[in-house]
Amino acid sequence: MSLLKEVTSLIRKEILLEWRFKYAINGILLYVVSTVFVCYQAFKSVDPTTWNALFWIILLFASVNAINKSFVQESRSRQLYYYTISSAKAVILSKIGYNILVMLLLSAIAYLVYSIIFRNPLGDPVLYFLVVILGSMSFASVFTMVSGISAKAGNNSTLMAILSFPIVIPLLLILIKVSKNAMDGLDRSVSTDELVVLLAINIITVAISLLLFPYLWRD
Amino acid sequence: MKHYWWKILAILLLLYSIIMGILGKVPALPIVHETIRNVYFHVPMWFAMFTLYLISVIYSIKYLSSNDPKHDLVAVESVNVGIVFCLLGLATGMIWANFTWGAPWPNDPKTNGSAIATLMYLAYLVLRNALEEEQKRGRISAIYNIFAFPIMIVLMYILPKNTDSLHPGAGGNSGFGDFDLDGSMKAVLYPASLGWILVGTWLMTLRFRIRKLEYQSHTAAD
């Protein structure tokens, strides 16, 4: 129970910090909207497969940029302070939780802007939106751990990309496939297998992050 | 004799698999024809790679709990040798694909998955180079290694299973067991796999011993 309390108060702290400066969140929202505009200006109209792939690529890069910062905004001494007052599990859970919230907001806005500007008929909008939500949660859980690793290794953004892209490719492949199914309006039973694999990958990554973060945190 | 019996066994198994692989009886199949013999060389590469990555992840876990630099060295050398086997597996696969599927790199999920898994392990090596302090390097790369291992399994063994793949045993294709009715191919394939796994482990231990000597002379000089 105390872990839950620690996690919620840490998430509240993250949101409060972000709310005070609004720098990261505004920056990343602007990034998404301008990327959507660049793609729109460059492509004008695209076929459904490209539309889908483009959306996920935009979301992928936006999420890497959003989550990349999650361990570096705070100074070392403040991290040391967290280390003394809370457990490592609470820290990683709160980071994952906060990043999931950010990604949900980000992907909802990206989806909205993208589908308004870039008009494209969706066969099953509810399932598509569900896949977007699941996808942003999976990006958040994978990238949080990887950004923790790359932050310890001097945090250059090249390293973050090298480390995270191969890991996220299986997720991305499944997401593109399921969202294409949703786009074509296929029966939902076609996609259940993929959704189960997606959930399983999510659970595995969160579990491994929980197990490994205490070793990463200790420094 | 007690220590190196398995090295002799590895050489004998490889000799057996090469001789029997080239001279042995294989089922006559369309399209594949005699290239089916490549199964004795292509498949064992992946078995060896998987074993080495497994050794690597086990030693990474051991390193996290023990902080013994030797465990870290075993983990990194297993990955080094594992990557070589993965590249060999890709090379033999590409030669084979050129004859049977018409192109060296058909858009096949298993092929793509193994290439991506290789990128992941190359990223592990890059991560190691990015870290200078020895203990930190061992710990952080061990964490990444453990994190990458289940993703590798998903990429190479789970995703190709439920998509359309050219590889046998995936996407509703029949596996090799269906052609090999009298078990004559299994009699070569399994010893060959064991042989290559042992050779891979042998290479790994050799590299590990060199690294250990380097490490000891390095720390002694300080």
Side-chain angles (χ1 to χ4, degrees):
Chain A
M1 200 58 211
S2 67
L3 182 72
L4 195 67
K5 252 174 83 180
E6 275 181 39
V7 172
T8 45
S9 55
L10 278 171
I11 290 180
R12 276 221 347 248
K13 177 225 63 172
E14 297 267 357
I15 294 172
L16 204 68
L17 272 180
E18 191 48 57
W19 190 250
R20 273 188 204 151
F21 297 105
K22 299 193 191 72
Y23 155 72
I25 196 86
N26 285 345
I28 207 72
L29 288 180
L30 208 57
Y31 177 90
V32 171
V33 176
S34 43
T35 319
V36 169
F37 259 101
V38 169
C39 289
Y40 174 61
Q41 294 288 323
F43 284 96
K44 297 290 188 215
S45 73
V46 290
D47 58 302
T49 317
T50 322
W51 189 87
N52 189 28
L54 210 54
F55 177 67
W56 284 107
I57 290 170
I58 291 172
L59 212 56
L60 173 72
F61 278 88
S63 57
V64 168
N65 278 314
I67 297 173
N68 194 8
K69 297 187 197 74
S70 56
F71 282 92
V72 283
Q73 338 170 284
E74 285 159 343
S75 62
R76 270 184 74 87
S77 43
R78 204 193 285 173
Q79 289 197 357
L80 206 62
Y81 173 61
Y82 297 145
Y83 185 39
T84 56
I85 57 170
S86 60
S87 67
K89 284 195 175 94
V91 172
I92 184 73
L93 277 179
S94 71
K95 291 274 184 199
I96 291 177
Y98 173 71
N99 281 335
I100 285 176
L101 290 180
V102 170
M103 281 304 299
L104 286 179
L105 181 70
L106 185 68
S107 56
I109 289 174
Y111 177 64
L112 208 70
V113 175
Y114 193 66
S115 52
I116 288 173
I117 293 177
F118 236 137
R119 218 162 259 290
N120 202 55
L122 285 178
D124 191 347
V126 182
L127 182 62
Y128 197 91
F129 195 65
L130 183 77
V131 176
V132 170
I133 286 173
L134 259 179
S136 55
M137 282 166 65
S138 349
F139 281 164
S141 52
V142 171
F143 286 148
T144 308
M145 188 62 189
V146 177
S147 83
I149 293 175
S150 85
K152 286 283 172 188
N155 197 67
N156 49 24
S157 50
T158 326
L159 200 60
M160 175 75 186
I162 293 173
L163 293 180
S164 59
F165 282 1
I167 285 186
V168 89
I169 283 174
L171 278 174
L172 206 60
L173 291 178
I174 301 173
L175 286 170
I176 289 178
K177 196 175 168 204
V178 182
S179 53
K180 189 73 180 53
N181 286 351
M183 241 174 124
D184 298 343
L186 297 184
D187 193 61
R188 285 182 193 177
S189 60
V190 179
S191 316
T192 39
D193 270 6
E194 275 81 13
L195 289 176
V196 169
V197 174
L198 209 59
L199 269 178
I201 295 179
N202 260 324
I203 293 167
I204 291 171
T205 44
V206 173
I208 297 176
S209 307
L210 265 181
L211 284 175
L212 293 180
F213 191 71
Y215 294 99
L216 190 68
W217 182 241
R218 198 196 297 158
D219 205 357
Chain B
M1 189 64 205
K2 270 173 193 162
H3 296 299
Y4 53 86
W5 61 271
W6 57 277
K7 295 172 183 170
I8 297 170
L9 178 68
I11 294 170
L12 288 178
L13 284 174
L14 285 195
L15 275 176
Y16 166 77
S17 76
I18 290 170
I19 294 167
M20 282 306 286
I22 292 172
L23 300 178
K25 197 165 70 72
V26 289
L29 292 171
I31 305 172
V32 188
H33 299 300
E34 290 290 317
T35 63
I36 198 168
R37 293 178 195 280
N38 197 7
V39 80
Y40 303 137
F41 303 96
H42 176 63
V43 177
M45 296 300 153
W46 299 109
F47 279 118
M49 181 212 72
F50 187 79
T51 313
L52 284 160
Y53 286 169
L54 188 68
I55 293 172
S56 172
V57 81
I58 290 169
Y59 274 87
S60 283
I61 294 169
K62 279 176 103 168
Y63 179 77
L64 284 183
S65 60
S66 73
N67 268 325
D68 181 356
K70 285 197 198 78
H71 292 158
D72 184 40
L73 291 180
V74 174
V76 65
E77 289 308 339
S78 304
V79 168
N80 274 333
V81 180
I83 287 176
V84 172
F85 275 97
C86 183
L87 293 178
L88 285 173
L90 283 176
T92 50
M94 277 162 76
I95 295 168
W96 200 0
N98 203 15
F99 282 107
T100 52
W101 299 338
W105 198 277
N107 188 14
D108 182 75
K110 206 156 186 155
T111 316
N112 292 335
S114 19
I116 296 161
T118 315
L119 288 183
M120 208 154 64
Y121 279 95
L122 289 173
Y124 166 78
L125 296 177
V126 171
L127 175 67
R128 290 187 67 89
N129 290 335
L131 293 156
E132 290 200 354
E133 193 195 325
E134 185 189 297
Q135 284 197 334
K136 200 173 172 185
R137 177 172 62 207
R139 201 176 61 236
I140 291 171
S141 60
I143 290 168
Y144 184 72
N145 194 12
I146 299 167
F147 200 67
F149 187 72
I151 309 276
M152 188 271 289
I153 293 178
V154 170
L155 265 173
M156 296 183 71
Y157 303 101
I158 295 174
L159 279 186
K161 277 264 184 288
N162 49 22
T163 39
D164 298 325
S165 174
L166 293 162
H167 276 88
N173 287 356
S174 51
F176 257 98
D178 300 346
F179 304 121
D180 182 29
L181 293 174
D182 56 352
S184 65
M185 286 187 71
K186 283 194 190 93
V188 183
L189 179 60
Y190 292 153
S193 306
L194 184 62
W196 284 108
I197 288 172
L198 290 177
V199 166
T201 320
W202 186 4
L203 277 172
M204 184 273 285
T205 50
L206 282 178
R207 289 191 58 109
F208 163 66
R209 282 155 69 188
I210 295 171
R211 283 287 284 267
K212 197 174 74 177
L213 286 175
E214 278 174 4
Y215 177 75
Q216 280 167 351
S217 66
H218 178 70
T219 44
D222 284 342

